[in-house]
Amino acid sequence: MTVAIFADSPTLTSGFGRTTSHIAAGLVRGGHDVACYGIKARSSDIPAGLPYAVWPAEQGGRWTDTLPEFFRTVRPDVLLLNMDAYNALECVELFRQAGWTGPTVSYVCFDGLPVSSTYLDAQRSCAAVWATSRTGAAYLESEGIAVAGYAPPGVDPQEFRPATDREALRAHAGLADASVVGVFATNTERKQVARAVAGFAEAVRLLPGRDLRLYLHCLPQGHWDLRELGRRYGVGDRLLFPSTDGYDEQRGVRTSGPGSRGEGPGGLPVLPASFSYVDRINVCDVLLNVPHSGDVEQVIIEGQACGVPLLHTDDEAIMGDAVGKGGVLLPAADVGIGRLGQRLHHVAPQVIGEALADVLADPARVSALREAGTANAAAYPWSTLEDAALAMVSPFASPGEGTPRESGSI
């Protein structure tokens, strides 16, 4: 059976890119032919030798211009939509306009709950719906939408793990005597990075004798000018970023693996270019993630797998459930309403700063959070989603299709 996947390109480092790559790999191992309509991908992003096809959406003009050609060329038997509820509404209509009349399976995540009926109607129009979490599945069921199953994203503990040379990494980065707070989030409104900067400034005030640094794994300029905010809060000289120029939030940095330690030491305002994503997590003493809404944020389980304590927004829903007991949940100062009708949990900078100061000053608590986080991350293997991908499409396969291939025969 030929399965088309519509999502961020699996060649990108976004959360959707990562889940798409594992869904595609699971389907290929199950004997299916896979073609991804790679949103945000350029031809130059696609390496040779992938066991599935990636159709680059960025070819000039609108990113949807070649969608009808994609369907005519690939001729899929089923379309798997890996998308949040907001964008899924647009995508379902785009499929119709492009001439797609076959079955669509929705693997849906939520940027907060609840959502308005318009977005739920898009899910109702799909042949089958899967959720990323038990909480999301229960919500859909409560709204009268049959849910075929749920499967969260995962983390590879062989890739995301505590560094054996953490102190050497920190020394090479010029951070041997510093306490580093890491924020791994795009510079977008939902991620609320500005509140992280303000909360960090509060922690600096509360711990005057501590050399605190804030690593922001994002573009300095995006929804906010983070360098300007740092200066406004009096912590501009404590901020670090991925690179002085050329950093791309969608393409990120190398996830893991050894890098050259030959370049000069790091320090403000950037970490060494050779540092992988996992290196950058391991340099940190604590991770801070305060989006006002979201689903199973990838940084939750990746940071926990690396043994780094986590402070996270308490949305009293999917994000909080994903953190489990392996992090400090930060209550919202106020709860607003977003464009989907979802609750927006805004954490006050003072709450962030006090929580950071409390954790950084308590080694016993750090140890306990590391242990609990590691245990929580272990419950998120990628195999859960890869196996679920086969179940997502199996109802639409002809008898005998989808027979698993022998290991190593991809």
Side-chain angles (χ1 to χ4, degrees):
M1 181 167 68
T2 299
V3 182
I5 304 176
F6 194 85
D8 278 9
S9 172
T11 60
L12 302 179
T13 59
S14 65
F16 286 115
R18 294 188 189 197
T19 52
T20 298
S21 69
H22 284 276
I23 290 170
L27 290 171
V28 168
R29 279 195 293 272
H32 299 292
D33 293 319
V34 176
C36 304
Y37 191 82
I39 300 173
K40 303 169 188 169
R42 301 184 290 256
S43 296
S44 58
D45 293 326
I46 302 168
L50 285 176
Y52 47 81
V54 178
W55 186 285
E58 299 296 333
Q59 300 183 32
R62 288 192 46 138
W63 64 272
T64 55
D65 286 348
T66 62
L67 187 55
E69 182 185 354
F70 171 78
F71 284 132
R72 287 195 302 270
T73 302
V74 173
R75 299 170 61 89
D77 298 293
V78 62
L79 175 61
L80 201 162
L81 174 61
N82 177 19
M83 197 70 60
D84 62 83
Y86 177 79
N87 288 304
L89 175 64
E90 177 189 16
C91 292
V92 167
E93 176 59 21
L94 288 171
F95 301 154
R96 186 192 65 78
Q97 293 174 4
W100 174 247
T101 58
T104 298
V105 177
S106 176
Y107 175 57
V108 62
C109 75
F110 295 97
D111 283 337
L113 295 174
V115 297
S116 67
S117 58
T118 302
Y119 300 100
L120 293 176
D121 287 344
Q123 299 301 313
R124 291 188 175 95
S125 73
C126 295
V129 178
W130 284 69
T132 60
S133 67
R134 185 193 304 269
T135 303
Y139 170 71
L140 288 166
E141 294 277 8
S142 74
E143 293 291 334
I145 298 175
V147 178
Y150 70 90
V155 63
D156 181 355
Q158 298 305 309
E159 184 171 43
F160 287 86
R161 57 184 178 179
T164 57
D165 60 345
R166 183 170 181 269
E167 293 309 314
L169 281 174
R170 289 169 60 85
H172 189 69
L175 299 168
D177 299 319
S179 296
V180 184
V181 178
V183 175
F184 291 77
T186 53
N187 188 350
T188 53
E189 189 273 338
R190 183 177 71 84
K191 295 293 188 174
Q192 293 290 291
V193 183
R195 288 177 181 263
V197 176
F200 172 77
E202 178 66 12
V204 169
R205 186 187 68 81
L206 293 171
L207 297 173
R210 206 76 173 256
D211 181 10
L212 296 183
R213 310 292 180 90
L214 179 64
Y215 174 61
L216 298 163
H217 191 75
C218 62
L219 290 169
Q221 284 199 290
H223 191 81
W224 290 282
D225 183 338
L226 298 175
R227 288 195 177 101
E228 173 59 30
L229 281 180
R231 288 191 290 270
R232 182 184 304 178
Y233 292 122
V235 294
D237 61 345
R238 297 173 182 262
L239 305 188
L240 298 95
F241 293 94
S243 174
T244 52
D245 57 15
Y247 177 70
D248 186 318
E249 289 183 338
Q250 295 296 332
R251 288 155 185 84
V253 298
R254 177 175 51 89
T255 304
S256 63
S260 170
R261 300 288 185 255
E263 85 276 14
L268 298 173
V270 298
L271 290 183
S274 65
F275 276 24
S276 69
Y277 189 76
V278 173
D279 287 339
R280 292 160 194 264
I281 291 176
N282 272 291
V283 161
C284 300
D285 294 274
V286 61
L287 298 187
L288 174 64
N289 195 48
V290 288
H292 58 47
S293 58
D295 201 272
V296 182
E297 297 274 295
Q298 206 76 45
V299 69
I300 295 173
I301 50 180
E302 290 173 348
Q304 290 178 336
C306 289
V308 183
L310 172 70
L311 275 63
H312 201 285
T313 304
D314 185 4
D315 66 339
E316 302 179 343
I318 298 173
M319 293 192 297
D321 289 348
V323 172
K325 297 179 180 179
V328 177
L329 292 175
L330 307 174
D334 66 86
V335 180
I337 302 295
R339 60 186 177 179
L340 283 72
Q342 81 275 37
R343 293 183 293 271
L344 304 182
H345 295 76
H346 296 106
V347 182
Q350 182 177 352
V351 171
I352 295 171
E354 290 174 351
L356 280 172
D358 287 348
V359 170
L360 289 169
D362 190 344
R365 194 176 188 195
V366 167
S367 179
L369 286 170
R370 284 177 177 159
E371 183 177 351
T374 301
N376 188 64
Y380 288 86
W382 277 115
S383 59
T384 300
L385 178 57
E386 293 169 0
D387 292 345
L390 292 172
M392 291 178 194
V393 303
S394 63
F396 309 99
S398 300
E401 283 191 308
T403 301
R405 302 180 180 185
E406 293 183 7
S407 177
S409 64
I410 293 176

